[in-house]
Amino acid sequence: MLKQLLDRAWSGGTSPHDSEIYALIHKELSSGGMDAGLWTKAIAVSDGNNEKAKSRYIEMRANALRKARKQVQDFAKQTQREQRAIERQNAEQERLRQELNSLKQREASIDSKLWREFTSPDAKKRKRKKQLRNTVVFIALSLAIYFLSTDEGLAILAITFAFFFWILSLATYGKYELENELKSIRSRIVGLGGNA
């Protein structure tokens, strides 16, 4: 009883998957196409007894086929893991490519907006006109306040407020933010391996 239990544990048990293995071994025994090395070893460990040798051959051949099946299964699992890793890598590369394309589109959009609104000759001309108009308004308003006001302290205070509004009107709003965003986008593009 103990010998049978040990033999079953040593031989890998009687898994339903083993039916294919035993069918193959039966075919080998029936056709005489046995593994010569294993058959010789089976005879040697069975003291030449053919029936015992047959039983030993079946055990050893089943173990060899189980081992080969496990190697094939392990190889298949490893191949699947590698395939999944390749698929993840490809998905990540696609995501990065899409991000790069999106960043390049945003870069082109910001470049275009900076040109249109701040650096083109027309934008510079519009800015000069606006600055000139605001300067003329400031001077006219300051003179009017100074000459029409009866309280000199109040006039200076009003002119000071007008001066700050005039300074603010000369500022270029939005350009600094766009340039910072463009710098950040170009840095990310370089980080992704694109040309900024």
Side-chain angles (χ1 to χ4, degrees):
M1 175 84 169
L2 181 60
K3 183 184 180 317
Q4 288 175 339
L5 186 62
L6 290 174
D7 282 347
R8 180 177 283 174
W10 179 77
S11 67
T14 54
S15 166
H17 300 294
D18 286 350
S19 62
E20 299 164 358
I21 290 174
Y22 288 108
L24 179 65
I25 295 170
H26 176 73
K27 198 174 194 181
E28 288 177 0
L29 288 171
S30 299
S31 67
M34 299 171 291
D35 181 307
L38 275 182
W39 179 249
T40 304
K41 185 176 179 181
I43 290 175
V45 296
S46 302
D47 299 325
N49 182 331
N50 243 8
E51 287 306 310
K52 279 186 176 180
K54 200 181 220 184
S55 177
R56 277 296 186 197
Y57 175 82
I58 291 170
E59 287 176 15
M60 290 188 293
R61 184 68 174 134
N63 283 335
L65 290 173
R66 280 189 204 101
K67 185 177 179 182
R69 179 179 63 197
K70 180 157 178 22
Q71 287 173 338
V72 167
Q73 288 171 341
D74 290 346
F75 178 76
K77 286 178 185 175
Q78 179 63 28
T79 303
Q80 285 176 343
R81 280 192 295 272
E82 290 171 359
Q83 182 62 33
R84 283 192 298 268
I86 289 169
E87 288 170 1
R88 282 192 301 272
Q89 184 180 13
N90 288 344
E92 179 63 11
Q93 286 176 346
E94 177 60 20
R95 186 193 67 75
L96 291 175
R97 186 187 65 75
Q98 288 177 355
E99 181 182 354
L100 187 61
N101 286 342
S102 174
L103 287 169
K104 286 184 176 183
Q105 288 173 357
R106 181 67 181 143
E107 176 190 30
S109 171
I110 292 173
D111 268 341
S112 175
K113 187 172 184 178
L114 280 170
W115 171 256
R116 252 187 352 265
E117 295 182 11
F118 302 105
T119 56
S120 73
D122 285 343
K124 288 179 181 179
K125 187 176 178 182
R126 283 191 308 270
K127 183 178 179 184
R128 280 192 302 272
K129 279 184 179 180
K130 178 182 173 188
Q131 289 174 339
L132 182 61
R133 182 191 69 226
N134 291 347
T135 302
V136 168
V137 168
F138 166 70
I139 292 171
L141 187 63
S142 296
L143 289 173
I145 291 172
Y146 183 74
F147 288 116
L148 296 176
S149 179
T150 55
D151 185 0
E152 191 175 312
L154 191 57
I156 291 175
L157 183 62
I159 291 171
T160 304
F161 277 118
F163 174 76
F164 284 116
F165 284 116
W166 172 68
I167 292 291
L168 289 175
S169 75
L170 298 179
T172 305
Y173 296 103
K175 183 178 181 186
Y176 178 75
E177 291 80 6
L178 287 173
E179 287 173 339
N180 278 344
E181 185 180 355
L182 189 60
K183 183 178 177 184
S184 172
I185 287 172
R186 286 181 174 158
S187 173
R188 180 65 179 149
I189 288 172
V190 168
L192 291 174
N195 300 332

